[in-house]
Amino acid sequence: MVKARPRPAVNGVASADRVLTVLTAFQIGDSALSLVELVERTGLIKSTIMRLMVSLENHGFITRMADGRYQLASEVMRLNTVYQEALDLEKHVMPRLHHLAEQSGETASFYVRHGAYRMCQYRVNSSHRLRLNLQPGDMRPMDEAAGAQALRAPYPVGITLDKPFYSKGATDPHAASMALPIYGAQQKLMGALVISGPASRLTEDYAESLKAMFFEAANDLMRSLGYKPASSEPKAIE
């Protein structure tokens, strides 16, 4: 059972705070919520929730089902579409890749899942002459490389990692990489942040020395992408 949330501090309009408290009570995996579940999750009383639901129904955010439970309605999807269209992923990712490449001396990339493959979507190459030659748009298999492992990471694993994924010789016998899954709004897996280089340079010991900086960059990117952990979960990748 989900524990009741503490009543939110009212810094703005109280009624607006209560409406948003009700909407954010819906979590990933919820198909619908009963009035009792909403009371438990929000800390609001039944009569207050019922009044708020009338307004939310009128504006298309909530649908009341035949069995009395409530589910999110089409207006939520419309706003999500507006958000996705407005989100310019490149402007969030590229500054962090430049930072990682500068701090590590190795190539920094952002991979996304593309069917049965992983695709390099953005990349900042190492300044070293000896480096891996990949370009945005290049495809790689979903093998045991660190980036592929990060893209397979389920959400609970993604927020409790104590160290990045690390691989050596998985796709290329001479290459090594380290990676972290990146989550955005609604805890959606957006992709994987990857540092890669020759195995002779990106050793396990060197990867360990980059861990704190790598986590900091990953957390910064996730906050920029709208990541907000659920109340019962850890804040972010630790």
Side-chain angles (χ1 to χ4, degrees), residues 24-25 31 40 58 76 106 136-137 140 156-157 201 210 216 224:
T24 56
S31 58
E40 291 173 346
N58 290 339
V76 175
E106 301 299 343
R140 288 294 182 268
V157 172
R201 284 202 310 260
L210 297 175
E216 183 179 355
S224 177

Side-chain angles (χ1 to χ4, degrees), residues 93-109 124 193-195 206 210 213-218 221:
V93 172
M94 288 303 294
R96 279 80 181 183
L97 294 186
H98 282 289
H99 172 74
L100 289 174
E102 180 180 346
Q103 293 297 310
S104 69
E106 301 299 343
T107 295
S109 309
V124 174
L193 204 56
V194 180
I195 296 175
Y206 186 48
L210 297 175
M213 180 272 297
F214 197 25
F215 272 120
E216 183 179 355
L221 176 56

